[in-house]
Amino acid sequence: MVSLAKSIAVGVIWFSSIVAADSDFDWRTIAASETLSWTACYEGFECSRLIVPLDYASPSSGNASIAITRYPANRSASDYLGPVLLNPGGPGGSGVDYVVAVGADIATVLGDGFDIVGFDPRGSSSHPLIQQLANYVERELWIPAALNEVYPSLNESESALAQQWARAQIQGQLAVERNQNYMQHITTDNTARDMLRITEAFGWNKLQYWGISYGSVLGSTFASMFPDKVGRVVIDGVLDMNSWYSGNMTNELVDTDKALQFFIDACFAAGPHSCAYYARSTADISKNLNDLMASIKTQPVPVITPTSYTVFGYTLLRNAVFDAITTPFQFFAPLAQGLADLTKGNASTLYANFFRAINCGDSMPVNDSVSQLQAYYSAAQEVLSPLAIEADCMYMQGLEDTSRGPLRPFGASNTSFPLLLIGNTIDPVTPISGAMRTAALFPGSVLLTLDAVAHTSVGAPSTCVLGYLGQYFRNGTFPAEGTVCSPDDPLFPSDNVEHSTDVQGRDIDTPSELLPAGRALSRAYRRVSSKMHIAV
Ligand SMILES: *[C@@H]1O[C@H](CO)[C@@H](O)[C@H](O)[C@H]1NC(C)=O
Ligand SMILES: *[C@@H]1O[C@H](CO)[C@@H](O)[C@H](O)[C@H]1NC(C)=O
Ligand SMILES: *[C@@H]1O[C@H](CO)[C@@H](O)[C@H](O)[C@H]1NC(C)=O
Ligand SMILES: *[C@@H]1O[C@H](CO)[C@@H](O)[C@H](O)[C@H]1NC(C)=O
Ligand SMILES: *[C@@H]1O[C@H](CO)[C@@H](O)[C@H](O)[C@H]1NC(C)=O
Ligand SMILES: *[C@@H]1O[C@H](CO)[C@@H](O)[C@H](O)[C@H]1NC(C)=O
Ligand SMILES: *[C@@H]1O[C@H](CO)[C@@H](O)[C@H](O)[C@H]1NC(C)=O
Ligand SMILES: *[C@@H]1O[C@H](CO)[C@@H](O)[C@H](O)[C@H]1NC(C)=O
């Protein structure tokens, strides 16, 4: 997801991770070096820490080190196809965790000739780490277990927005005070430079890369800075570069409501046996949902499970709905069941399926005044629906993005290899209009469309898309201009409706192992992109 957007820029880190990192590997046991030196780690992976300059303009003034994990290629040296770098979004999402979770699946999609490489962007769990809280005691005090009370929906109460603003002041100030010497070097530009260093450390001189969501900003920033270093670059769930860097993301949420409407339509089409939230018309489903939202606001529901408990209120409901429309093939059916149960006063289905420790409320800016934010929020309400405006808070509106580095035009007409972009017809976070605008900045690039409601192609497993990805990386071939793929799975599992496979993408050969790999990518993506390592 793109939710961390400007918060990194202004030094607020995402306090989402109350769960421990996946890591059972102690990175401190390996020494950082200027060349890649591999140590076995996790199961079947290799890890290394690469030294890069903290400040590329002044390399002697300090070092940073980047945590790198690879799922190694399974080829002799003569058939080796080089490293493919992954970025799962965030920003700040851990490429290491992503590759540890699904390196083998990515190798299934791209081929075993590549090293599948995850790296943790500087400022996340690479060194330097942005550090705000001095220790676990501070963290426990500052981040109570009931995260949804701390980071409510902005519309949960009159004071929610002002409260968020005040918390963000503290977080931003701590980040700056406690990380004085390097905050200014935690930038997207520098992460792009780091990617070139990593590529070169593999003995390769052009980048091979698959970037998802915020990873599209990183990929297109790289291609703008180093057009002659583009080997293969795929950007998937593409943000409009100009919206991103101007800090106004209102235009980026144009498809959020369409995605919700799609859930309603799909539920109706699936019928009462497949969709538990079925009603006699789409208008009835829509009305039921609105009524439920309104009622939960005044009357939250207690949930007690054997392992935890919470008060299930408006914020959690909103988050569950938003989650479901970003990964519908996993979550439409559980959402429908959960909404039906909640209508009867039972929130345990939704809680069990959707509870996650984050929402967009924690990425509030530190530099706008509270009245500026309130003005933005009310202005946005005139153009966006309630659900979209809630999503909009993820984008840290109206803030200058200091992560950018020097201003420069974005795009390049002379990349050494054309980019492949992937956009979904209805993406609630990164609409296809953003992909089109970014594609226009890179003449010669090709846009592959996935006819699905979901955030990024990873949110809607499609063997058609995965087949084209493999061909692009292995052979440098593109789908024909205008190709549209479809996802493979039904939205509601017991749904008997025959789902079309793809419209024009049938020439692609799609081995049977692609679909399980795609589903694994989808599950892991949601987990990794919604988690940040908290620095203590
Ligand atoms: C950066 O790392 C290199 C290689 O270990 C070392 O020679 C150099 O002194 C380091 N620079 C700083 C400023 O620490
Ligand atoms: C590829 O993987 C197989 C099975 O793990 C292994 O036996 C073989 O040595 C590997 N080949 C290369 C070239 O790495
Ligand atoms: C690509 O074009 C830009 C300006 O359009 C130019 O500055 C740059 O030198 C070109 N790079 C190559 C490798 O041709
Ligand atoms: C952001 O963009 C929207 C849509 O173009 C516009 O209505 C709004 O005024 C902009 N907000 C700011 C703060 O510039
Ligand atoms: C709530 O619904 C779940 C799933 O349908 C069920 O297992 C559970 O017993 C229900 N809880 C209550 C308190 O009714
Ligand atoms: C915050 O705003 C002040 C005054 O407008 C400006 O001087 C400062 O550079 C801004 N800080 C950031 C991080 O944008
Ligand atoms: C906030 O809640 C009010 C009352 O429930 C509703 O009318 C309004 O549309 C909501 N706005 C947003 C942005 O969610
Ligand atoms: C590989 O690329 C070449 C030239 O771009 C093309 O002719 C060939 O059909 C491609 N092979 C496959 C298997 O896609």
Side-chain angles (χ1 to χ4, degrees):
M1 299 258 195
V2 289
S3 11
L4 253 180
K6 311 294 165 56
S7 56
I8 287 242
V10 295
V12 182
I13 208 153
W14 180 269
F15 283 87
S16 67
S17 180
I18 45 175
V19 285
D22 286 342
S23 332
D24 44 13
F25 176 69
D26 186 352
W27 284 86
R28 288 167 302 186
T29 60
I30 51 177
S33 71
E34 282 177 309
T35 54
L36 291 170
S37 109
W38 298 106
T39 302
C41 59
Y42 308 97
E43 296 254 312
F45 295 84
E46 293 173 350
C47 292
S48 183
R49 285 172 60 208
L50 184 69
I51 292 181
V52 297
L54 186 56
D55 178 359
Y56 280 85
S58 170
S60 60
S61 62
N63 288 330
S65 76
I66 307 296
I68 300 172
T69 296
R70 71 169 169 185
Y71 181 79
N74 185 260
R75 290 278 182 89
S76 60
S78 59
D79 292 336
Y80 176 58
L81 297 174
V84 174
L85 275 58
L86 278 299
N87 181 285
S94 167
V96 167
D97 285 354
Y98 190 56
V99 164
V100 168
V102 288
D105 299 294
I106 294 170
T108 299
V109 174
L110 304 186
D112 63 3
F114 300 99
D115 279 323
I116 307 300
V117 179
F119 66 98
D120 285 353
R122 48 169 71 198
S124 48
S125 55
S126 286
H127 214 74
L129 205 53
I130 301 173
Q131 191 166 14
Q132 295 166 309
L133 302 181
N135 55 46
Y136 282 94
V137 175
E138 264 197 41
R139 187 177 109 176
E140 290 305 307
L141 289 172
W142 181 242
I143 310 173
L147 266 197
N148 286 278
E149 283 167 28
V150 186
Y151 302 114
S153 155
L154 294 186
N155 202 25
E156 172 110 43
S157 73
E158 288 287 306
S159 63
L161 190 141
Q163 287 281 349
Q164 290 304 310
W165 178 85
R167 285 187 71 86
Q169 296 296 308
I170 294 172
Q171 289 174 200
Q173 205 166 319
L174 289 179
V176 172
E177 276 171 14
R178 293 177 176 186
N179 307 277
Q180 296 256 350
N181 299 324
Y182 48 78
M183 275 306 294
Q184 70 272 30
H185 304 302
I186 312 290
T187 66
T188 299
D189 280 15
N190 277 340
T191 299
R193 294 184 179 102
D194 293 343
M195 292 208 295
L196 185 56
R197 281 293 166 102
I198 295 168
T199 298
E200 288 169 349
F202 273 88
W204 227 246
N205 58 24
K206 290 189 175 141
L207 176 72
Q208 305 186 110
Y209 172 76
W210 179 7
I212 299 166
S213 196
Y214 161 78
S216 71
V217 174
L218 183 54
S220 38
T221 299
F222 181 97
S224 304
M225 291 170 72
F226 305 112
D228 57 334
K229 300 287 183 190
V230 174
R232 303 275 187 274
V233 168
V234 172
I235 53 177
D236 180 350
V238 181
L239 283 151
D240 171 14
M241 296 295 287
N242 290 320
S243 293
W244 175 268
Y245 281 111
S246 72
N248 183 354
M249 302 301 286
T250 303
N251 280 338
E252 291 299 298
L253 294 147
V254 293
D255 285 349
T256 311
D257 296 320
K258 285 188 208 157
L260 181 60
Q261 187 59 45
F262 192 87
F263 165 73
I264 292 166
D265 294 346
C267 176
F268 181 72
H273 298 297
S274 299
C275 179
Y277 204 54
Y278 177 85
R280 281 198 204 133
S281 67
T282 54
D284 284 355
I285 299 175
S286 184
K287 178 177 185 307
N288 293 345
L289 184 56
N290 287 337
D291 291 351
L292 186 60
M293 288 272 188
S295 107
I296 200 87
K297 210 166 180 179
T298 52
Q299 193 166 352
V301 174
V303 186
I304 302 178
T305 74
T307 49
S308 65
Y309 44 85
T310 194
V311 174
F312 197 96
Y314 179 83
T315 296
L316 282 180
L317 178 55
R318 185 279 315 261
N319 288 354
V321 170
F322 195 73
D323 240 17
I325 61 177
T326 58
T327 21
F329 293 89
Q330 279 178 72
F331 291 113
F332 267 17
L335 177 68
Q337 184 63 53
L339 293 173
D341 290 350
L342 184 62
T343 306
K344 295 179 212 140
N346 180 347
S348 62
T349 309
L350 282 176
Y351 184 57
N353 280 296
F354 291 96
F355 179 72
R356 49 189 258 203
I358 61 160
N359 68 52
C360 65
D362 39 354
S363 55
M364 291 303 291
V366 293
N367 211 28
D368 281 3
S369 71
V370 69
S371 58
Q372 281 172 308
L373 275 181
Q374 254 146 2
Y376 185 96
Y377 189 58
S378 3
Q381 293 199 44
E382 288 174 18
V383 247
L384 294 172
S385 73
L387 185 68
I389 181 89
E390 286 292 351
D392 201 15
C393 76
M394 298 194 310
Y395 285 126
M396 310 282 301
Q397 315 81 357
L399 260 192
E400 187 193 0
D401 185 346
T402 55
S403 78
R404 171 176 44 193
L407 271 173
R408 98 176 83 68
F410 278 93
S413 56
N414 54 0
T415 56
S416 43
F417 199 80
L419 278 63
L420 177 63
L421 293 84
I422 305 175
N424 296 356
T425 43
I426 302 182
D427 184 321
V429 184
T430 51
I432 195 157
S433 52
M436 288 168 170
R437 286 192 290 267
T438 294
L441 300 174
F442 294 96
S445 64
V446 171
L447 173 59
L448 173 63
T449 301
L450 172 59
D451 185 15
V453 171
H455 177 42
T456 83
S457 79
V458 173
S462 162
T463 50
C464 171
V465 168
L466 297 173
Y468 283 122
L469 273 172
Q471 285 202 348
Y472 175 77
F473 278 100
R474 285 192 299 274
N475 193 39
T477 39
F478 289 88
E481 193 68 50
T483 299
V484 179
C485 288
S486 292
D488 293 62
D489 287 328
L491 281 163
F492 291 93
S494 53
D495 176 358
N496 289 322
V497 178
E498 193 56 40
H499 287 267
S500 63
T501 35
D502 69 71
V503 186
Q504 296 156 45
R506 250 9 239 172
D507 57 324
I508 188 87
D509 103 62
T510 53
S512 59
E513 66 270 21
L514 278 188
L515 186 55
R519 290 178 183 141
L521 288 178
S522 184
R523 285 190 299 272
Y525 172 58
R526 174 175 181 270
R527 200 159 47 78
V528 172
S529 68
S530 66
K531 196 181 72 181
M532 274 285 292
H533 298 279
I534 180 161
V536 292

